[in-house]
Amino acid sequence: MQTQLAKFSTGHYNAGAGTLKVVAWHFLNYGIMNSAFPWPYSLKTALLRMFGAKVGKGLVIKQKVRIKNPWRLTIGDDCWIGESVWIDNLEDVVLGDNVCISQGALLLTGNHDYKKSDFPYRLGKIIIENGVWIGAQSVVCPGVVCRTHAILTVSSVATRELEAWSIYTGNPAVAVRERVISE
């Protein structure tokens, strides 16, 4: 048996919003969120909320951020989302409080099942708990939970759970040491 992409379908996948909402978000996502123009954080926060995201106070969201489905996004208080972050949330993404998602990081809730010829979706929620730092150009894969205060270093790939207060690096990411915060 070989891969047969012509047989692909989205199956039971549902974006979680009506067509009009999806289309309207597409234009705002690319016109404001993914723009190089430094739109105010308050405007971006208001747009996310208008489209169903649950967003706490103090969100810093830089330029050129792409968010596929804001109605599948929860962001806690005092979070930072850096330039060129892509939240490809076909499934729910939850960010706790004081989470930093650095430049160019990718939160990827969907992939394809390469073991099946029609290459169907394989989806999984992402949960990033309080105090986690996702380094620049890193990837968090479908179904991953990043426990409180874990760090995923620059250009690393989280394919499974990151334990609390641990620093991970590499592809696939492995724990290399404990995270210690001094006053």
Side-chain angles (χ1 to χ4, degrees), residues 111-131:
N111 208 334
H112 294 277
D113 189 343
Y114 63 87
K115 294 180 181 180
K116 296 186 178 181
S117 66
D118 63 345
F119 222 45
Y121 281 149
R122 193 168 55 184
L123 305 175
K125 297 177 183 183
I126 292 175
I127 299 172
I128 300 177
E129 295 181 350
N130 296 346

Side-chain angles (χ1 to χ4, degrees), residues 5-180:
L5 296 180
K7 289 187 175 183
F8 172 79
S9 80
T10 57
H12 299 294
Y13 174 72
N14 181 333
T19 303
L20 184 58
K21 189 174 188 178
V22 171
V23 170
W25 175 251
H26 178 80
F27 287 105
L28 289 171
N29 188 30
Y30 285 93
I32 294 177
M33 305 298 281
N34 193 24
S35 168
F37 185 81
W39 294 100
Y41 305 147
S42 59
L43 172 64
K44 293 176 184 180
T45 298
L47 284 174
L48 287 170
R49 287 179 178 144
M50 184 183 346
F51 278 84
K54 296 174 188 77
V55 182
K57 66 174 180 59
L59 175 62
V60 172
I61 184 167
K62 297 292 191 166
Q63 296 92 323
K64 301 190 82 54
V65 171
R66 292 186 291 170
I67 299 170
K68 185 162 279 175
N69 297 314
W71 44 90
R72 291 183 180 256
L73 181 60
T74 300
I75 302 173
D77 293 338
D78 302 311
C79 290
W80 296 351
I81 300 176
E83 292 90 349
S84 301
V85 165
W86 184 10
I87 301 176
D88 189 24
N89 57 334
L90 296 168
E91 261 291 351
D92 294 344
V93 169
V94 178
L95 308 181
D97 297 335
N98 298 294
V99 168
C100 178
I101 310 293
S102 291
Q103 303 88 332
L106 171 59
L107 306 184
L108 181 66
T109 63
N111 208 334
H112 294 277
D113 189 343
Y114 63 87
K115 294 180 181 180
K116 296 186 178 181
S117 66
D118 63 345
F119 222 45
Y121 281 149
R122 193 168 55 184
L123 305 175
K125 297 177 183 183
I126 292 175
I127 299 172
I128 300 177
E129 295 181 350
N130 296 346
V132 171
W133 178 14
I134 304 299
Q137 299 293 321
S138 292
V139 178
V140 179
C141 292
V144 169
V145 176
C146 302
R147 297 288 177 200
T148 186
H149 291 83
I151 294 176
L152 183 64
T153 63
V154 171
S155 295
S156 295
V157 179
T159 58
R160 59 181 50 108
E161 181 174 318
L162 304 185
E163 294 295 326
W165 295 95
S166 297
I167 300 173
Y168 286 79
T169 193
N171 180 8
V174 294
V176 292
R177 66 184 167 278
E178 178 183 352
R179 180 181 185 182
V180 177

